[in-house]
Amino acid sequence: MIKPVPLYIGLRYVAARRRQQFISFINGFSLLGMALGVMALIVVTSVMNGFDRELKTRILSVVPHGFVEKADGLENWRDAAQQLEQKPHVEAASPFVRGFALLGAGGGSHGVEFQGVDPQALRSVSAVGEHMIMGSLDALQPRSYNIVLGRILARQLNVIPGDSLVLTLPEVVVTPAGLFPRTKRFTVAGVFSVGAQVDQSMALMHLDDAARLLRMRGRVQGLQLRFDDMDNALGRVSTYAQSLGEDYSGEDWSHSQGSLFQAVKMEKTVVTLMLMIIVAVAAFNIVSALVLMVADKRSDIAVLRTLGLTSRQIMSVFVVQGSAIGIIGAFIGALLGIVIAFNLTDMVSWMENLLGAKIFDPRVFFVSFLPSEFRTADAVVVLTAAVLMSLLATLFPAWRAAQIEPAEALRYE
């Protein structure tokens, strides 16, 4: 016999065939519900991780990992860039000038963040040149007043390379005819497509043209940094900026793009909590099954008490039984969830080919496939929560079983 005795009896109750099929049905339903809940949680968290990874990879391949700025602008930016490139984990630095403006063409207009860049230096900190679908970054020359737009922005403005548009700055000039906003006509020289939010909010022009627009001739606003790993930029950019002088400030990608990634993280948290209800329902089913089991085993409990088992041991019997149902269901669900999470992208692609339909239309969505990234930490959290819920669900029915008096239970036997 397995010792301790409560463990042996509890496991026997799980495996034994019962006279009441309804109890067996509820036990099976509880196990199935726990397995489905854990599986759904692991799959959904993996999909959310996949979307988070795709956003970070796509956006941070174009958006630099950090920005270092000086309050009154940099005149000799090459010296500062050389100092920063000697810092640990920094791979490259590139000058920039940025501002906000309104782009208008054909009666339509959109607010954008424009960046003045050096096309050659930009390639060392951003992969936007690799995502050009029309035109080239090399068309951005000093005083050419050419501009490169994101794919969605170009579509919203209904422009292609060769078309002209008007850039309006948020300031006015005084003329004999009155006050007028500052405007400048640009020619579309290219279109890039990253597959992220920057496709509809970013416009690039040459560094010299942007400096003239913002009246910063001979100076740049700051430097863009690229690290060997995007996580290495966290907390280091501001430190490196301060090492250049008191007038310097820095921010990493968690500040410039943090709101988007925080929104994704919040969505993942909310969805996880909602799906955890499925696991909670399965745990409540364990309560129902144990309550019926205790009622069915009153005489057995009385016999065990007369044989010398204490109330604590009786309680342990039903804790073992209920926990075993939840744990078995949780591990089955975890195994299925892990297998699906690792193969979800291929499974969805196979279904799309079989049905001849696309779940994510690439003309509408940034991501044209269903990404999935399994993380062991998420699975451990889900599995731990499921096991704890199963354990807590057994306490009340087990306590009720421990309160049964042998004489009362055997009175009518």
Side-chain angles (χ1 to χ4, degrees):
M1 180 183 293
I2 300 175
K3 293 185 178 181
V5 174
L7 177 63
Y8 171 76
I9 299 175
L11 295 178
R12 281 288 303 271
Y13 279 171
V14 173
R17 294 184 178 180
R18 296 177 180 81
R19 297 187 299 271
Q20 294 188 17
Q21 296 298 320
F22 183 66
I23 300 178
S24 299
F25 171 77
I26 293 182
N27 283 337
F29 191 78
S30 303
L31 189 148
L32 179 62
M34 186 65 68
L36 289 177
V38 171
M39 181 189 70
L41 272 170
I42 291 177
V43 172
V44 170
T45 53
S46 298
V47 171
M48 298 299 293
N49 293 335
F51 276 110
D52 183 63
R53 178 199 64 202
E54 288 298 315
L55 281 175
K56 286 183 177 178
T57 301
R58 291 167 183 252
I59 292 177
L60 296 179
S61 68
V62 176
V63 176
H65 296 161
F67 296 90
V68 172
E69 300 183 29
K70 189 178 181 183
D72 55 351
L74 279 167
E75 293 183 358
N76 192 358
W77 61 267
R78 288 180 175 82
D79 291 342
Q82 187 175 6
Q83 293 181 48
L84 289 171
E85 288 172 351
Q86 294 175 354
K87 300 290 185 181
H89 305 292
V90 178
E91 291 186 338
S94 172
F96 75 93
V97 173
R98 63 181 174 183
F100 295 92
L102 193 67
L103 289 181
S109 59
H110 288 275
V112 298
E113 177 187 356
F114 67 87
Q115 289 190 11
V117 296
D118 183 329
Q120 299 303 321
L122 180 65
R123 288 184 169 89
S124 63
V125 299
S126 174
V128 66
E130 302 172 8
H131 297 277
M132 298 295 297
I133 57 177
M134 288 186 285
S136 171
L137 283 178
D138 295 329
L140 301 180
Q141 298 296 325
R143 301 190 182 185
S144 63
Y145 293 103
N146 289 333
I147 193 168
V148 172
L149 307 176
R151 175 179 61 88
I152 297 179
L153 180 59
R155 187 175 64 189
Q156 291 174 339
L157 294 173
N158 195 25
V159 293
I160 59 174
D163 292 345
S164 63
L165 47 78
V166 176
L167 183 145
T168 304
L169 293 170
E171 59 180 279
V172 296
V173 294
V174 181
T175 68
L179 299 177
F180 291 92
R182 286 186 62 205
T183 61
K184 182 64 182 178
R185 186 168 294 276
F186 279 79
T187 302
V188 179
V191 177
F192 64 85
S193 177
V194 179
Q197 193 69 23
V198 291
D199 285 352
Q200 68 181 41
S201 60
M202 183 185 292
L204 302 176
M205 62 183 67
H206 193 273
L207 190 66
D208 183 69
D209 295 344
R212 288 175 177 271
L213 285 174
L214 298 178
R215 296 188 174 96
M216 296 182 63
R217 296 183 184 182
R219 293 175 295 154
V220 299
Q221 193 169 345
L223 296 169
Q224 300 173 337
L225 302 181
R226 183 165 190 85
F227 285 71
D228 53 5
D229 187 278
M230 60 184 179
D231 291 330
N232 288 332
L234 302 177
R236 286 190 169 93
V237 178
S238 58
T239 303
Y240 293 168
Q242 292 171 5
S243 68
L244 297 176
E246 296 181 356
D247 296 336
Y248 290 85
S249 62
E251 66 174 20
D252 54 53
W253 60 267
S254 65
H255 293 86
S256 59
Q257 303 293 327
S259 58
L260 175 61
F261 297 128
Q262 286 296 328
V264 174
K265 184 178 180 180
M266 179 63 70
E267 184 177 0
K268 175 185 174 182
T269 303
V270 172
V271 171
T272 300
L273 291 176
M274 292 179 64
L275 288 177
M276 196 66 76
I277 296 176
I278 300 177
V279 179
V281 170
F284 283 127
N285 286 332
I286 293 176
V287 175
S288 303
L290 283 183
V291 167
L292 293 175
M293 188 69 178
V294 170
D296 184 56
K297 297 294 185 180
R298 287 176 61 88
S299 58
D300 292 3
I301 294 170
V303 171
L304 290 173
R305 288 294 304 277
T306 58
L307 290 175
L309 264 67
T310 64
S311 297
R312 185 183 297 273
Q313 289 176 313
I314 294 295
M315 185 174 179
S316 299
V317 168
F318 291 96
V319 169
V320 168
Q321 181 190 356
S323 299
I325 295 172
I327 291 172
I328 293 171
F331 275 92
I332 291 175
L335 180 61
L336 291 175
I338 292 171
V339 172
I340 294 174
F342 274 110
N343 299 279
L344 184 61
T345 302
D346 295 334
M347 292 169 60
V348 173
S349 298
W350 178 79
M351 290 182 61
E352 288 179 341
N353 293 331
L354 181 65
L355 300 176
K358 282 284 186 182
I359 296 179
F360 297 104
D361 190 342
R363 296 172 297 178
V364 178
F365 298 98
F366 293 132
V367 180
S368 58
F369 62 96
L370 189 63
S372 177
E373 180 183 356
F374 172 76
R375 295 179 185 173
T376 305
D378 290 336
V380 170
V381 170
V382 171
L383 201 55
T384 302
V387 171
L388 287 177
M389 284 187 184
S390 301
L391 180 61
L392 292 174
T394 64
L395 296 181
F396 176 72
W399 176 79
R400 289 291 302 273
Q403 303 305 308
I404 294 176
E405 295 294 337
E408 185 68 24
L410 295 175
R411 175 180 299 178
Y412 301 106
E413 293 293 331

